[in-house]
Amino acid sequence: MQFSRSFTKKLNEQLAKVDLFHSQWLIVYYLNQYGCSTLVEISNYLDVEKPTVTRTVNRLEERKLIEQIPGKDKRERRIQLTESGERTYQEAKKVVEEFELQLMSGLAEEDRETTLRTLLFLKEKLK
């Protein structure tokens, strides 16, 4: 838990350069990777409650980084990145990659691979 909190805090400090928070970055990242999505799809992917996603999405929408698009079902709220959101994604991606490189610097490649395998293993066990 301490690592997770420290990681998020430091990442938020870096993401401030592009005016994003970690929670917003996760949604922007998801939309870039998977395209137009529903709030339920995003909340399932992130394993967080839908109201939490809704609040974050509303903030991103206020900033014109995402937009709603009509779905087949009027009750379904589908969203996608705007052009501004795509640009923000590209800027944030560079910030995140640089942060991760700094964090992992000094760690041998073999240890990086072991860490990644371990994290993926633990993630699967949590499901």
Side-chain angles (χ1 to χ4, degrees):
M1 290 300 288
Q2 288 175 322
F3 174 79
S4 176
R5 286 208 177 276
S6 294
F7 178 86
T8 301
K9 180 182 175 193
K10 294 293 184 183
L11 183 56
N12 276 335
E13 291 171 8
Q14 296 302 308
L15 284 170
K17 297 173 186 173
V18 292
D19 199 24
L20 281 181
F21 290 101
H22 177 252
S23 57
Q24 295 169 330
W25 162 246
L26 293 173
I27 292 171
V28 168
Y29 175 85
Y30 178 89
L31 291 172
N32 179 270
Q33 298 301 305
Y34 297 99
C36 179
S37 301
T38 66
L39 300 185
V40 171
E41 291 168 336
I42 295 168
S43 66
N44 288 339
Y45 176 81
L46 297 176
D47 197 21
V48 297
E49 299 297 321
K50 188 175 171 259
T52 303
V53 171
T54 300
R55 281 190 300 275
T56 306
V57 162
N58 288 341
R59 285 188 208 108
L60 291 169
E61 198 170 19
E62 287 169 8
R63 295 187 46 215
K64 310 278 192 246
L65 298 179
I66 62 170
E67 62 189 354
Q68 290 189 45
I69 59 166
K72 294 175 187 168
D73 184 342
K74 298 222 185 280
R75 295 168 293 170
E76 184 178 73
R77 186 173 174 195
R78 299 191 65 76
I79 58 170
Q80 67 184 9
L81 290 176
T82 62
E83 284 184 35
S84 178
E86 289 286 348
R87 283 191 303 275
T88 298
Y89 166 80
Q90 293 300 330
E91 293 170 10
K93 181 180 174 205
K94 290 176 188 171
V95 168
V96 171
E97 286 174 348
E98 184 179 310
F99 173 71
E100 289 174 346
L101 281 173
Q102 289 174 355
L103 187 62
M104 299 293 272
S105 69
L107 193 60
E109 184 63 32
E110 182 179 315
D111 292 336
R112 287 181 193 186
E113 291 170 7
T114 300
T115 301
L116 181 57
R117 278 195 312 276
T118 302
L119 290 171
L120 292 173
F121 173 80
L122 293 173
K123 179 182 169 191
E124 284 302 311
K125 283 197 77 155
L126 289 171
K127 288 184 178 180

